[in-house]
């Protein structure tokens, strides 16, 4: 199983980072094992993605520094004891792991305190990222006295900007990894499209999706969504029984052995065919999808793709009698968000929402403020696209009874929404399709193989297997 790129990839990535940042000492806190209910019973280990990007080592309990001022790179960690080996088997020594990513020096974890103490004494600037794991925040406090609550004020914005500017542009070897992750994600979706039947529970379909991911040598890139309640955007409940006539929404992706993610969504009828009503709304989500893709371009803000999807949805729903009034005005005030209360896409890479731990304002907005408006505030990516950006396209239409009832009771958007018609669809559910794209000089390119998505393709699968 190949879990690392060649040594030169990591050496070059660190060289670029050093040049971007110029001075100081960078502290990278890798992830530890995370206990579920007692120390030795742990969740699936997942290395921190920035640590992976610069060092590639999928092993818990490591810390690395890049001392730009003194031109030193060190990985800190502890070799397995004989007890560890007896229980978990032999593992490479820390110096061997360091060697694999081109770091010349390895030291014990206990040596870190002195190294950082010396750097502080020399008044070096210590750069660290906005940490998200409590144990790493505690380690930071032990090392340099910054309390967990202070991390969000004191992390290095310069480091975040440098890392984002590097990680967001995917290289050819990364694109090959992402393509493979998306290909397996397609297999997971096709398996679910064939497998789901009336009378099953949602968890049976989720298990089938997960089986494909594990059998392909990786895992899932985020908790599986496999639900008859597609109107709930992130529904991880799998306890419902699937009925004939339901719409079934699948949102699932593969994380490959190099930790690159795929992220796709599909919606299928639990029947041989969509109903007329389902077909109309489904086709409109495809139209919105296409409008978003047509709006993509190098140097063009991703926000344009989102707005193109919003307008297509609002206009289409107007034709069907759900909405009324001027479309641009409706989008301006956020009336479309009754049906599409989220964003059209997000960056994807080593994280399914790539670098979300580093802050959406840098990853998706180049430091510009986000809208606070319901709907638009959930758009994770708005900035101008560059070649090498990889992102999702995932507009959807959702009928959320609680949101309808609230806005109707508040007389909200009466100029734009035909409430009687909307109310007829209160039990409709939700529809989303999602694909992953790479921005290239010649336009946006679909990543990985094409998943079945048209009405004809979905119905053909359901006719044969449903
Ligand atoms: N597809 C899952 C997510 O974007 O969070």
């Amino acid at each position: 199983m190949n879990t690392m790129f060649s040594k030169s990839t990591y050496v070059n990535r660190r060289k670029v980072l050093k040049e971007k940042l110029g001075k100081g000492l960078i502290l990278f806190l890798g992830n530890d094992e995370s206990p579920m209910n007692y120390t030795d019973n742990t969740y699936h280990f997942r290395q921190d993605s920035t640590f992976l990007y610069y060092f590639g080592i999928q092993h818990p309990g490591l810390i690395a520094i890049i001392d730009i001022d003194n031109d030193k790179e060190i990985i800190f960690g502890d070799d397995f004891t004989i007890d560890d080996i007896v229980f978990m088997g032999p593992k490479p020594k820390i110096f061997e792991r360091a060697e694999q990513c081109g770091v010349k020096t390895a030291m014990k974890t206990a040596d870190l305190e002195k190294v950082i103490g010396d750097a502080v004494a020399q008044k070096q600037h210590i750069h660290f990222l906005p940490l998200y794991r409590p144990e790493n925040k505690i380690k930071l406090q032990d090392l340099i006295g910054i309390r967990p609550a202070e991390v969000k004020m004191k992390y290095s914005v310069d480091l975040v900007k440098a890392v984002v500017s590097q990680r967001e542009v995917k290289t050819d070897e990364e694109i090959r990894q992402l393509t493979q992750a998306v290909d397996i994600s397609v297999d997971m979706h096709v398996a679910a499209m064939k497998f789901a039947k009336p009378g099953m529970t949602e968890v049976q379909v989720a298990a089938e999706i997960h089986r494909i991911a594990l059998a392909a040598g990786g895992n899932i890139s985020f908790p599986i969504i496999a639900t008859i309640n597609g109107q709930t955007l992130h529904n991880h409940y799998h306890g419902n029984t699937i009925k004939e006539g339901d719409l079934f929404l699948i949102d699932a992706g593969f994380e490959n052995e190099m930790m690159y993610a795929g992220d796709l969504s599909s919606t299928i009828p639990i029947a041989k065919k969509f109903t007329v009503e389902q077909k109309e709304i489904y086709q409109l989500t495809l139209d919105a999808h296409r409008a978003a893709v047509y709006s993509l371009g190098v140097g063009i803000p991703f926000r344009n793709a989102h707005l193109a999807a919003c307008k297509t949805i609002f206009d289409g729903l107007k034709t069907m009698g759900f909405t009324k009034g001027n479309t641009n005005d409706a989008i301006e005030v956020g009336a479309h968000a009754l049906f599409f209360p989220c964003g059209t896409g997000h960056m994807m890479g080593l994280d399914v929402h790539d670098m979300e731990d580093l802050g959406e304002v840098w990853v998706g907005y180049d430091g510009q403020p986000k809208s606070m408006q319901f709907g638009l505030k959930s758009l994770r990516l708005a900035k101008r696209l560059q070649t090498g950006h990889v992102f999702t396209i995932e507009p959807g239409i959702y009928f959320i009874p609680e949101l309808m009832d609230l806005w109707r009771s508040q007389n909200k958007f009466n100029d734009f929404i035909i409430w009687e018609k909307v109310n007829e669809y209160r039990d409709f559910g939700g529809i989303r399709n999602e694909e992953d794209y790479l921005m290239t000089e010649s336009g946006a390119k679909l990543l990985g193989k094409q998943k079945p998505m048209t009405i004809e393709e979905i119905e053909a699968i359901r006719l044969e297997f449903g």
Side-chain angles (χ1 to χ4, degrees):
M1 180 158 118
N2 190 16
T3 61
M4 285 179 78
F5 294 120
S6 69
K7 188 187 295 189
S8 61
T9 291
Y10 302 102
V11 171
N12 288 333
R13 286 174 176 177
R14 295 194 299 270
K15 180 167 175 289
V16 170
L17 180 64
K18 286 185 263 192
E19 286 164 4
K20 280 179 186 277
L21 212 54
K23 57 184 180 348
L25 180 149
I26 315 171
L27 181 62
F28 295 93
L29 295 158
N31 283 342
D32 286 336
E33 294 282 18
S34 195
M36 285 193 283
N37 48 349
Y38 53 90
T39 306
D40 287 343
N41 200 24
T42 58
Y43 290 105
H44 163 73
F45 173 71
R46 176 55 156 84
Q47 182 58 285
D48 171 71
S49 296
T50 300
F51 194 96
L52 275 179
Y53 185 81
Y54 292 108
F55 302 96
I57 311 173
Q58 298 187 27
H59 185 68
L62 300 178
I63 295 179
I65 63 161
I66 300 178
D67 181 345
I68 306 174
D69 305 329
N70 297 296
D71 195 20
K72 277 192 215 154
E73 297 176 337
I74 309 175
I75 291 184
F76 297 85
D78 297 319
D79 291 331
F80 263 26
T81 64
I82 188 62
D83 293 279
D84 295 330
I85 292 169
V86 167
F87 277 89
M88 292 175 276
K91 286 280 188 295
K93 302 237 185 259
I94 303 300
F95 85 84
E96 292 167 321
R97 295 189 185 275
E99 166 64 18
Q100 283 172 349
C101 64
V103 169
K104 295 200 177 66
T105 310
M107 295 176 121
K108 292 192 172 54
T109 308
D111 295 330
L112 177 65
E113 196 177 322
K114 174 160 180 357
V115 171
I116 296 294
D118 289 349
V120 171
Q122 287 166 23
K123 300 203 170 354
Q124 279 188 273
H125 186 86
I126 315 267
H127 297 272
F128 58 90
L129 294 169
L131 307 171
Y132 54 91
R133 289 216 177 175
E135 57 270 27
N136 278 342
K137 293 184 184 175
I138 293 168
K139 282 186 198 172
L140 189 75
Q141 180 169 21
D142 290 346
L143 283 170
I144 55 175
I146 289 178
R147 288 183 296 111
E150 294 176 308
V151 169
K152 59 179 177 299
M153 278 91 74
K154 296 201 171 164
Y155 71 85
S156 168
V157 173
D158 288 342
L159 177 60
V160 166
K161 286 160 74 172
V163 171
V164 169
S165 68
Q166 219 179 331
R167 279 183 58 190
E168 72 182 350
V169 179
K170 273 54 179 184
T171 60
D172 289 347
E173 64 184 350
E174 290 186 288
I175 290 161
R176 283 193 289 278
Q177 292 297 324
L178 286 160
T179 302
Q180 188 257 354
V182 177
D183 281 345
I184 304 293
S185 305
V186 172
D187 295 343
M188 291 155 66
H189 279 249
V190 172
M193 289 172 188
K194 293 178 177 174
F195 187 78
K197 312 265 184 320
M200 283 181 177
T201 52
E202 294 162 325
V203 75
Q204 288 176 268
V205 185
E208 176 66 5
I209 295 168
H210 205 154
R211 184 184 72 76
I212 306 286
L214 293 174
N219 210 323
I220 48 177
S221 53
F222 58 92
I224 293 167
I225 297 169
T227 181
I228 56 172
N229 288 314
Q231 77 281 3
T232 305
L233 301 180
H234 263 205
N235 191 347
H236 297 304
Y237 178 73
H238 293 147
N240 293 305
T241 300
I242 305 169
K243 299 183 308 302
E244 179 81 23
D246 282 339
L247 280 173
F248 193 80
L249 191 149
I250 305 147
D251 187 347
F254 184 59
E255 182 176 77
N256 75 3
E257 58 197 22
M258 299 280 288
M259 300 291 126
Y260 283 87
D263 183 6
L264 302 173
S265 300
S266 308
T267 309
I268 57 168
I270 300 296
K272 304 281 181 201
K273 286 177 165 274
F274 290 103
T275 64
V276 173
E277 292 78 12
Q278 289 171 346
K279 204 183 275 194
E280 267 187 342
I281 302 287
Y282 187 95
Q283 184 56 47
L284 183 53
T285 65
L286 294 187
D287 296 346
H289 198 97
R290 200 171 43 234
V293 173
Y294 283 162
S295 303
L296 299 169
V298 174
I300 296 176
F302 188 85
R303 184 187 283 101
N304 292 20
H306 176 66
L307 294 176
C310 295
K311 286 180 188 165
T312 304
I313 288 171
F314 194 86
D315 276 339
L317 290 175
K318 206 187 291 180
T319 311
M320 293 178 210
F322 293 94
T323 60
K324 59 185 176 180
N326 179 282
T327 300
N328 287 333
D329 293 348
I331 307 291
E332 180 75 28
V333 294
H336 67 285
L338 179 68
F339 310 99
F340 182 28
C342 49
T344 292
H346 53 80
M347 292 277 200
M348 191 182 82
L350 279 166
D351 307 297
V352 64
H353 292 180
D354 209 23
M355 299 174 278
E356 197 156 286
D357 58 312
L358 304 184
E360 228 167 61
V361 68
W362 299 113
V363 181
Y365 284 80
D366 267 343
Q368 300 303 309
K370 272 179 83 168
S371 167
M372 299 300 287
Q373 188 184 75
F374 182 84
L376 201 51
K377 72 177 178 189
S378 300
L379 178 62
R380 293 189 162 94
L381 177 58
K383 70 185 183 184
R384 292 180 194 282
L385 295 174
Q386 297 178 41
T387 56
H389 280 175
V390 168
F391 48 83
T392 65
I393 293 288
E394 48 178 310
I397 299 179
Y398 309 95
F399 290 88
I400 306 168
E402 296 79 3
L403 186 60
M404 293 175 190
D405 292 343
L406 179 69
W407 283 9
R408 196 175 186 186
S409 73
Q410 294 171 335
N411 286 317
K412 204 165 170 174
F413 300 134
N414 286 348
D415 293 343
F416 298 110
I417 308 289
I418 301 173
W419 288 110
E420 295 72 25
K421 173 75 176 178
V422 169
N423 196 45
E424 287 169 21
Y425 277 61
R426 59 186 299 116
D427 297 324
F428 181 88
I431 295 179
R432 170 167 75 249
N433 273 287
E434 176 178 13
E435 295 180 314
D436 305 320
Y437 283 85
L438 165 69
M439 200 64 232
T440 74
E441 260 327 313
S442 54
K445 180 174 171 295
L446 182 71
L447 261 192
K449 55 192 181 188
Q450 173 76 60
K451 81 179 180 79
M453 201 153 86
T454 65
I455 288 171
E456 294 72 26
E457 288 164 344
I458 297 293
E459 289 189 341
I461 291 178
R462 295 303 297 166
L463 264 173
E464 187 173 353
F465 299 95

